[in-house]
Amino acid sequence: MRARGESTLAALRARAASVHEAAELKALLAELAYDRRRGARVLAGAIRQRREALARETRRFEGLLARARALRAAGARWVAGVDEVGMGPLAGPVVAAAVVLPERPDLSGLDDSKRLAPRTRARLAEAIRRQAVAFSLAEVWPDEIDRINIYRAGLEAMRRVVAGLFAAAPRLAVDHVLVDARTIPGLTVPQTPLVHGDALDASIAAASILAKTHRDALMEAQEALHPGYGFATHKGYATAQHLAALRRLGPCPIHRRSFAPVAAAAR
């Protein structure tokens, strides 16, 4: 039997499921501390595990904010993160994004876009667009990729996206750019390349998510324009499905003809 005043286990479980803040979890643990029911002890153990996971995530997220905070402490006013996606596909554009985040963004689960499930990426992309102080997107399409080569196309997409950010928010005074593993040519403000930057810095991670979700949407739209290739599924990457369609149908206007599999299919 439960003592007078004790909540039912079902009610306690429901409360635990609805709580997401560390302070609330701590208060619920305090309430369970003297509850001798086996179910209550099991629930308390599960809550402790959640608190530990929340603490780890908080530490990880604080680490993602550390570089921008250090730059601001050294005198920077606003810091932008830049990343690009789409270097490897056989079709479609390279897309770059630049993001300026507020000092205390509320972006639970923010990470390198490649590590995230599509639904989580979509949720975070919406939150980033809503919370960002400023953001910009830029595209370089296959005709230009074939003309200047894919490496230079990636750099050009990042150069354009920073120029677009400055044009969109001229009064923002972005005075430092954090870049995922590249050095952007022609910038007039200091920049810092970070290897695996999308896993190390919040603004670069946010840029990777916006670039990825934007490019995926572009490729899904190409499905209707160029049916039969499966662009909505593989987004232009060299999957077995895509290679088979390329051999069967030949290249379409958004294929990168300077890439070997596309050039072979065009012969």
Side-chain angles (χ1 to χ4, degrees):
M1 293 180 63
R2 61 187 174 95
R4 182 179 297 176
E6 274 188 347
S7 300
T8 66
L9 289 174
L12 288 169
R13 292 189 189 101
R15 282 178 57 196
S18 67
V19 165
H20 302 288
E21 299 295 330
E24 294 174 301
L25 290 172
K26 182 178 179 181
L28 189 52
L29 270 179
E31 185 176 332
L32 289 167
Y34 301 103
D35 194 324
R36 298 182 178 277
R37 290 174 293 179
R38 181 178 180 280
R41 293 197 301 272
V42 171
L43 180 59
I47 292 172
R48 289 188 195 95
Q49 290 180 351
R50 280 182 60 196
R51 285 189 72 200
E52 291 167 4
L54 185 60
R56 287 194 300 271
E57 172 59 18
T58 299
R59 289 192 296 271
R60 186 191 70 83
F61 191 71
E62 289 295 309
L64 292 179
L65 298 172
R67 285 166 181 80
R69 286 176 177 167
L71 288 166
R72 285 195 294 270
R77 286 159 292 184
W78 292 104
V79 178
V82 177
D83 198 8
E84 44 73 18
V85 298
M87 297 290 284
L90 305 179
V94 174
V95 173
V99 177
V100 180
L101 290 176
E103 291 189 25
R104 299 294 307 177
D106 181 14
L107 296 169
S108 175
L110 182 71
D111 205 344
D112 171 8
S113 64
K114 296 184 292 296
R115 299 182 181 182
L116 301 173
R119 182 176 296 181
T120 303
R121 268 200 307 269
R123 172 183 64 80
L124 283 166
E126 182 179 347
I128 291 162
R129 287 172 178 268
R130 187 171 61 249
Q131 294 182 37
V133 177
F135 70 89
S136 178
L137 290 153
E139 306 159 8
V140 175
W141 283 81
D143 56 346
E144 190 171 2
I145 292 171
D146 292 339
R147 188 170 69 251
I148 66 175
N149 79 44
I150 185 61
Y151 178 77
R152 290 172 62 192
L155 292 175
E156 177 61 15
M158 291 194 289
R159 187 198 67 77
R160 287 179 190 175
V161 85
V162 174
L165 183 71
F166 290 169
R171 297 182 182 180
L172 192 59
V174 172
D175 45 19
H176 203 100
V177 176
L178 298 173
V179 191
D180 186 26
R182 311 281 287 276
T183 299
I184 304 172
L187 287 198
T188 58
V189 298
Q191 60 180 304
T192 301
L194 294 174
V195 177
H196 303 306
D198 44 10
L200 298 174
D201 175 75
S203 61
I204 298 178
S208 79
I209 290 168
L210 288 195
K212 170 66 173 168
T213 52
H214 181 73
R215 187 181 187 280
D216 283 356
L218 290 174
M219 294 307 293
E220 287 162 10
Q222 292 298 317
E223 178 82 6
L225 299 174
H226 306 290
Y229 292 96
F231 290 135
T233 302
H234 53 65
K235 310 302 190 289
Y237 284 87
T239 64
Q241 175 196 4
H242 188 186
L243 291 170
L246 191 56
R247 289 191 295 269
R248 185 176 70 253
L249 301 172
C252 77
I254 66 162
H255 276 103
R256 302 173 181 179
R257 292 172 184 268
S258 56
F259 280 42
V262 180
R267 291 180 191 136

